[in-house]
Amino acid sequence: MTKGVVHKVIIESGALTPGEIAGLCRIVVRSGAEFVKTSTGYGPRGATVDDVRAIRAAVGSTCRIKASGGIRDLATLRDMVAAGAERIGTSAGPAIMEEFLKLPK
């Protein structure tokens, strides 16, 4: 891998079985990539909490996880982070931030 460059591998988890997710994640770890990303947004579905948990189980602390696809509200974002995602890909960022800012301080 190129020093100073962050490498991210997209696995399209919505098209895969849990076993396939685990196998691909092991390949991603061996490749030296820093991130595993759950989906492109063009697959059969976006990320699920179960996908993120399966990825975390497969990669341990070796890779970071970017959950992407179908994350449209603060509750889903929090669930993804709790499951192990460290980055979130969403087109609903402004709406999620508005939701967050409305929370009691």
Side-chain angles (χ1 to χ4, degrees), residues 11 13-14 16-26 45 51 54-55 58:
I11 65 166
S13 59
L16 303 170
T17 67
E20 290 168 334
I21 290 172
L24 282 173
C25 286
R26 286 189 290 273
R45 63 168 171 76
D51 293 339
I55 293 167

Side-chain angles (χ1 to χ4, degrees), residues 13-14 21 38-39 45-55 67-69 71 80 83:
S13 59
I21 290 172
T38 57
S39 61
R45 63 168 171 76
T48 67
V49 170
D50 287 340
D51 293 339
V52 174
R53 285 185 185 131
I55 293 167
S68 186
I71 303 166
M80 295 294 182

Side-chain angles (χ1 to χ4, degrees), residues 8-44:
K8 172 178 55 180
V9 176
I10 306 169
I11 65 166
E12 206 65 75
S13 59
L16 303 170
T17 67
E20 290 168 334
I21 290 172
L24 282 173
C25 286
R26 286 189 290 273
I27 292 168
V28 172
V29 166
R30 286 195 308 267
S31 79
E34 185 174 349
F35 279 91
V36 177
K37 182 178 173 188
T38 57
S39 61
T40 62
Y42 296 104

